[in-house]
């Protein structure tokens, strides 16, 4: 690629920050878009990618400060010197308190303490603290998108989302993420071809952008809303293996809300034969909350749906599965499948349909005792 | 295994050095916790050494499911020392080609011993695995592989390796990544997978396929970015994946290729994983290619056609998709399946020439939406409405048209009653009402759409502005456009700026319009220069303003101001971008006419019609010029206008000139009707056609 998208965007997008929407709080406009702060952020994230980040049992200085200010918001938070961002990340009690505060109807406002805490804490550039903030992204993004049509102040949520967006923009240097879809007629790391003499001229033809280049945004313009949330979810995905299960469950629940579609009719065919009655029962139930259903339904353009599906794929099929999570993820997947049928979106039908079938296959294989090829077969004669 | 299958409760026998003995006594001793006695009775009975006896005992314990016992037995052997004894001496470590035969014979001697030791370590690892001590198990399992690499440092020889040794090695290779994965050590998992697949272990096809699949699945769903493989394993000229998705797709494609070549068994999950991976990266056309390669007979053909149709439609090749769907919906295949019916109807709803066919699909979809698919009834009705609306556009009679239009509105309303929260449906209703010139209702839906989507969709803003402009509420339309511009990032403002320019023209502010066009031009040019072919953009993908349109619009604007010179220049620029276009010829005609050259103008207008026989503005101007040529030309002019009105019944200019002709011919009543139509339409004329935003 000869042209560098990041440099060209800055030339025209330099003056975009002047236009602001209704109620943007001051924090939103002070988001670092300059290169100096971005390098600091990237260097710290690199440190956090090593899995066994041996964070000591006592908290560091920014962590202590963040925890102290959190205890002002959550009075019941008993912070000792042993409370670290890591321990809070996996502390169900604190998480559920923060979650219930976030779920309050006016939580997204610009003057909300918790939103401000999330924003400030993410800016601390401490990787563990950033993880702790990311843990609540499913809730923030979910509530935000569903509340947009209600026309209530949401500048607090927007500030948090913009901070995540800016972080991702900086760590990617604004570049797009591309995937070069391989062509097996050419030799690769994992295979050889007979016609190896043919120079790889066709490779590069299938270069595809999975996340376009990022421009800095100082405010959430409504037409960029899905993109900003999508990029924040992309950031979440890069850290998803460190996320506690509850956070992923929150995500799956919002997938259902966003889909605005009940997907229970796509429950495994196995139950269909025996479960006509179950189906009827469900039917009534779904009619009962039909009005509630579809309340949070949001437009699902590709830029939002794609990271959603990647995260959902993880929730459904990641190693060392958690039963509760896979159940929630299957539900979400069914809802999104129903939604993609309603949208008649071919790519989404393909992706959600295969996830659904894979989940069913995994479900079937857990029920029957599978042959383990790594086990040593028992034999009647033990010989040398 | 040459020994018979083991069944529960069977007496196990030991056999070695030509002797054999029953395990009953040994088992009894083990049960008493007397490992030493059990071991010595084995050594005596079968003339074994200490390590051999222990290895057999360990295997017995493992087989009996007594895993703790097995571990106790294995702990007695110094496996590390045994491995070291097996390693070739320093001189043999670098065998030259000449000394090969000697090294081989040395190997065959030590293979027996190696098998014994590696078996023992592997069983230890497996025991630890079953006990849930995963990290320890992984370390033991890794020892097996390290030892194999030390003993056979040139890779496992293909021919002369003991089959039992090979089995153990294969199992260890497959188990190691699994152990790390279960232990939650994902970085180690990745290196173990790569080690398994990139070193020479002489694995059989099935084992290799299992590892490749497990790795691909891990890469796709673990969420941990593996990073590119180390430089050491990269071969010049071969493809090296640089991220998880690429690596997973590569592995899945290799697996599928081996499957097609009959090397491995059919596994339906492979295509599902690949489908997920490729649709995530928008490469459904590559997926289509892969699906086409699947051998017939593996996969029901209708399923394949349907999947292929989804792939092609996802890649924007709707024509190919529709052809496949026609096959799968044929009455001898599966004519009532909902997904293909809906997809076919959707594709048809986008093209007026097949819209009638789409009506049929949509009706079938509606009548088949029963039972658990009842929720899709609204989708069927919605598509029925869209197809009818599209069909109305090309209908030949007024009667037919209005029938189709009201049916379209009826089905869309039925759909929205079933699905109140579907914002797309609300938008489509808005457009349909607008096209029906029911502007108040259209405005209500347009507003509702913008509200429900939180203003996040560009076309919603545009519809709102267009409906307002049709109601001649230009200043409000202007406010909406400006609000939309505020909510839009620079790069996507093109369609809005074009709208704004046209609004300025309607408000008789030509200078402002020129200014807006200039700004739009700068944007479009910057866009062209800065983005290569890689740009995928969300919302403006379908209606990006191109440079040609801007120059042409400017040219028209200057022409309307009688700035013939400027109009000429802009037209020249437009012509550079698109050589033969009816639009440019049309504008050229206007300029010529403006300069008083009516004959040349007429010739140019007719050229435009030659290029594009359905070009409505061209028909109108030709008719207009001809009607001025005297009574002989009036019938020609009239038929041209009727033709124009058949194509675009809402064209107020056509009605107006038709009225003029009727008047000149003395048919006053007809003329009055036409003029009335023209005035009514003028009061509801949008600045851009409503169908431009669908």
């Amino acid at each position: 690629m000869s042209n560098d998208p990041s440099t060209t965007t800055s030339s025209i997008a330099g003056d975009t920050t002047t236009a602001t929407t209704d109620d943007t709080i001051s924090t939103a406009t002070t988001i670092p878009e300059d290169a100096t702060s971005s390098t600091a952020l990237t260097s710290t994230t690199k440190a956090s990618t090593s899995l066994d980040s041996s964070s000591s049992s006592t908290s560091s200085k920014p962590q202590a400060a963040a925890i102290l200010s959190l205890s002002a918001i959550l009075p019941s938070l008993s912070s000792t010197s042993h409370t670290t961002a890591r321990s809070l990340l996996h502390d169900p009690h604190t998480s559920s308190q923060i979650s219930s505060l976030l779920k309050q109807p006016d939580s997204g406002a610009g003057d909300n303490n918790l939103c401000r805490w999330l924003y400030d804490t993410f800016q601390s550039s401490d990787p563990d603290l950033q993880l702790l903030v990311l843990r609540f992204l499913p809730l923030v993004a979910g509530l935000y998108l569903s509340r947009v049509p209600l026309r209530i102040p949401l500048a607090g949520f927007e500030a948090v989302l913009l901070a995540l967006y800016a972080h991702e923009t900086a760590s990617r240097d604004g570049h797009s993420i591309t995937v070069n879809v391989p062509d097996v007629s050419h030799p690769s790391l994992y295979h050889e071809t007979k016609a190896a003499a043919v120079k790889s001229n066709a490779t590069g033809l299938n270069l595809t952008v999975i996340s376009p280049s990022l421009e800095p945004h100082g405010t959430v313009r409504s037409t960029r809303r899905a993109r900003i949330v999508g990029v924040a979810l992309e950031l979440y995905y890069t850290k998803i293996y460190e996320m506690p299960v509850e956070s992923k469950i929150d995500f799956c629940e919002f997938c259902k809300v966003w889909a605005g579609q009940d997907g229970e009719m796509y429950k495994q065919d196995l139950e269909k034969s025996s479960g006509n009655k179950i189906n009827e029962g469900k039917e009534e139930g779904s009619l009962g909350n039909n009005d509630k259903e579809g309340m949070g339904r949001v437009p699902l353009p590709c830029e939002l749906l794609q990271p959603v599906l990647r995260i959902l794929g993880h929730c459904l099929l990641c190693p060392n599965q958690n039963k509760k999570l896979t159940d929630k993820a299957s539900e979400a997947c069914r809802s999104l499948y129903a939604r993609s049928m309603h949208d008649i979106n071919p790519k989404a039908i393909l992706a959600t349909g295969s996830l659904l079938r894979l989940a069913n296959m995994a479900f079937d294989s857990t029920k029957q005792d599978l042959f383990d090829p790594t086990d040593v077969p028992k034999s009647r004669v033990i010989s040398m | 295994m040459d020994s018979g299958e083991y069944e529960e409760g069977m007496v196990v026998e030991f056999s070695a050095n030509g002797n054999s003995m029953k395990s009953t006594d040994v088992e009894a001793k083990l049960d008493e916790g007397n490992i030493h006695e059990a071991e010595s009775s084995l050594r005596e009975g079968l003339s074994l050494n200490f390590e051999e006896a222990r290895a057999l005992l360990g295997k017995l314990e493992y087989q009996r499911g007594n895993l703790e016992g097995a571990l106790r037995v294995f702990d007695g052997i110094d496996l590390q020392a045994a491995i070291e004894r097996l390693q070739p001496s320093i001189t043999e470590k670098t065998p030259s080609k000449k000394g090969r035969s000697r090294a081989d014979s040395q190997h065959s001697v030590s293979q027996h011993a190696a098998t014994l030791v590696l078996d023992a370590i592997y069983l230890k690892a497996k025991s630890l695995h079953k006990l849930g001590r995963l990290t320890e198990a992984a370390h033991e399992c890794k020892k097996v592989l390290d030892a194999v690499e030390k003993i056979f440092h040139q890779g496992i020889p293909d021919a002369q390796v003991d089959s039992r040794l090979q089995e153990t090695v294969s199992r260890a290779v497959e188990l190691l990544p699994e152990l790390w994965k279960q232990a939650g050590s994902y970085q180690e998992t990745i290196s173990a997978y790569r080690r398994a697949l990139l070193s020479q272990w002489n694995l059989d096809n099935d084992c290799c396929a299992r590892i490749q699949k497990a790795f691909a699945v891990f890469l796709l769903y673990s969420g941990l970015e593996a990073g590119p493989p180390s430089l050491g394993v990269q071969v010049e000229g071969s493809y090296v994946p640089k991220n998880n998705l690429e690596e997973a797709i590569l592995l899945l494609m290799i697996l599928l290729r081996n499957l097609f070549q009959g090397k491995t068994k059919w596994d339906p999950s492979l295509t599902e994983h690949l489908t997920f991976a490729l649709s995530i990266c928008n490469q459904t056309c590559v997926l289509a290619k892969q699906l086409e390669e699947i051998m017939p007979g593996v996969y029901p053909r209708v399923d394949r056609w349907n999947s292929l149709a989804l792939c092609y439609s996802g890649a924007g090749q709707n024509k190919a998709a529709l052809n496949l769907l026609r096959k799968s919906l044929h009455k001898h295949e599966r004519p009532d399946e909902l997904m293909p019916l809906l997809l076919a109807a959707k594709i048809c709803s986008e093209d007026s020439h097949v819209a009638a066919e789409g009506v049929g699909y949509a009706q079938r979809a509606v009548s088949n939406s029963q039972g658990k698919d009842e929720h899709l009834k609204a989708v069927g009705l919605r598509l029925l409405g869209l197809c009818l609306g599209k069909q109305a556009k090309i209908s030949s009679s007024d009667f037919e048209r209005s029938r189709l239009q009201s049916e379209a509105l009826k089905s869309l309303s039925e759909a929205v009653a079933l699905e109140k929260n579907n914002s797309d449906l609300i938008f489509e209703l808005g457009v349909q009402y607008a096209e029906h010139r029911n502007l108040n209702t259209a405005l209500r839906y347009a507003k509702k759409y913008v509200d429900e989507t939180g203003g996040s969709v560009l076309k919603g803003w545009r519809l709102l502005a267009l409906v307002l402009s049709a109601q001649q509420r230009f200043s409000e339309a202007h406010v909406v456009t400006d609000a939309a511009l505020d909510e839009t990032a620079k790069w996507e403002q093109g369609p809005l700026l074009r709208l704004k320019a046209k609004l300025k023209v309607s408000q008789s502010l030509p200078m402002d319009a020129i200014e807006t066009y200039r700004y739009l031009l700068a944007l479009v040019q910057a866009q062209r220069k800065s983005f290569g072919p890689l740009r995928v953009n969300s919302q403006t993908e379908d209606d990006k303003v191109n440079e040609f349109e801007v120059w042409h619009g400017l040219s028209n604007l200057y022409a309307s101001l009688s700035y013939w010179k400027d109009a000429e220049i802009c037209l020249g620029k437009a012509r550079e971008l698109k050589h033969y276009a009816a639009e440019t010829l049309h504008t050229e005609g206007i300029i010529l006419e403006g300069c008083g050259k009516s004959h040349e103008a007429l010739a140019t207008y007719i050229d435009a019609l030659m290029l594009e026989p359905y070009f409505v503005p061209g028909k109108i101007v030709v008719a207009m010029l001809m009607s001025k040529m005297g009574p002989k030309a009036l019938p020609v002019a009239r038929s041209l206008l009727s033709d124009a009105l058949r194509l675009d019944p809402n064209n107020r200019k056509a009605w107006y000139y038709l009225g003029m002709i009727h008047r000149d011919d003395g048919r006053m009543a007809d003329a009055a009707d036409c003029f009335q139509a023209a005035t009514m339409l003028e009061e509801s004329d949008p600045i851009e056609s409503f169908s431009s935003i669908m």
Side-chain angles (χ1 to χ4, degrees), chain A residues 190 222-223 342 374-375 379, chain B residues 62-63 122 246-247 419 455 487:
Chain A
Y190 292 113
S222 62
T223 55
H342 279 247
T374 66
D375 205 355
S379 63
Chain B
Y62 177 81
Q63 188 161 316
Y122 181 72
E246 288 183 4
E247 201 163 352
E419 217 181 348
E487 295 293 336

Side-chain angles (χ1 to χ4, degrees), chain B residues 294-571:
Chain B
I294 298 178
M295 291 293 153
V298 184
Y299 194 45
R301 62 177 182 176
V302 181
D303 288 344
R304 190 202 313 239
W305 288 334
N306 290 341
S307 305
L308 279 174
L310 284 171
C311 290
Y312 283 123
S313 171
Q317 300 176 33
N318 278 339
K319 225 170 167 177
L322 186 59
N323 281 331
L324 285 159
L325 292 169
R326 282 177 181 142
K327 278 153 82 89
S328 82
L329 291 171
H330 189 269
K331 65 172 189 262
H332 295 312
E333 303 290 348
R334 281 190 228 151
D336 294 333
E337 201 173 329
L338 274 173
M339 193 284 291
L341 280 173
L342 293 174
L343 182 60
K346 187 192 178 203
I347 293 172
C348 291
S349 75
E350 285 157 16
D351 179 356
S352 47
H353 296 287
V354 284
E357 187 185 340
V359 170
Y361 295 135
Q363 279 164 342
R364 264 151 76 188
V366 172
S367 59
N368 284 315
S369 302
Q370 287 161 351
K372 72 173 185 132
D373 291 318
E374 203 171 338
H375 66 111
L376 292 173
K377 192 167 182 182
V379 188
L381 284 168
R382 173 179 156 211
L383 290 170
L384 182 60
L386 292 180
C387 286
L388 287 166
K390 203 75 180 180
Q391 198 190 352
K393 293 223 166 97
I394 55 157
S395 65
S396 48
S397 75
D398 272 348
F399 172 73
E400 178 85 354
R401 189 194 334 270
S402 56
R403 185 184 64 84
L404 288 170
Q405 271 183 345
S406 49
E407 271 182 42
L409 276 175
K410 195 176 133 231
S411 348
L412 285 176
S413 311
E414 277 174 49
V416 88
L418 289 172
E419 217 181 348
K420 291 188 192 65
N421 291 301
N422 189 338
S423 50
D424 290 328
L425 194 47
I426 287 163
F427 175 79
E428 283 149 6
L429 259 172
V431 174
Q432 211 65 239
Y433 274 116
E435 287 191 327
H436 215 215
R437 292 294 192 271
N438 187 342
L439 294 177
N440 287 328
T441 318
L443 184 68
R444 213 176 64 228
Y445 279 109
K447 274 185 182 159
K448 193 170 175 200
Y449 181 71
V450 172
D451 276 350
E452 284 194 4
T453 57
S456 64
V457 189
L458 201 55
K459 64 180 184 182
W461 293 103
R462 290 179 57 206
L463 177 64
L464 187 55
L466 280 183
V467 173
L468 285 169
S469 81
Q471 292 181 319
Q472 314 299 306
R473 292 153 73 177
F474 293 120
S475 57
E476 282 166 81
H478 203 224
V479 171
V480 169
T481 315
D482 279 342
L485 280 168
D486 271 349
E487 295 293 336
T488 317
K490 274 265 140 80
W491 292 119
E492 284 155 19
Q493 291 179 342
L496 289 170
L497 287 171
R498 186 182 57 199
L499 199 65
K500 187 171 169 175
K502 290 185 181 171
L503 270 173
K504 297 275 187 195
V505 174
S506 308
Q507 287 173 295
S508 310
L509 296 166
M511 287 308 148
D512 290 3
I514 290 172
E515 200 49 46
T516 312
Y517 266 124
R518 276 203 192 125
Y519 190 67
L520 177 58
L521 195 60
L523 175 78
V524 171
Q525 286 177 337
Q527 227 159 9
R528 179 170 50 96
K529 281 176 195 147
S530 57
F531 293 113
L534 272 183
R535 186 168 163 82
V536 180
N537 215 315
S538 44
Q539 299 200 15
T540 41
E541 185 70 351
D542 345 300
D543 57 0
K544 222 191 270 165
V545 177
N546 58 32
E547 203 176 332
F548 167 79
E549 253 177 275
V550 182
W551 284 117
H552 180 242
L554 257 179
S555 172
N556 271 341
L557 178 55
Y558 281 125
S560 70
L561 296 171
S562 310
Y563 291 178
W564 308 120
K565 256 260 144 55
D566 293 329
E568 193 69 62
I569 293 168
C570 295
L571 193 61

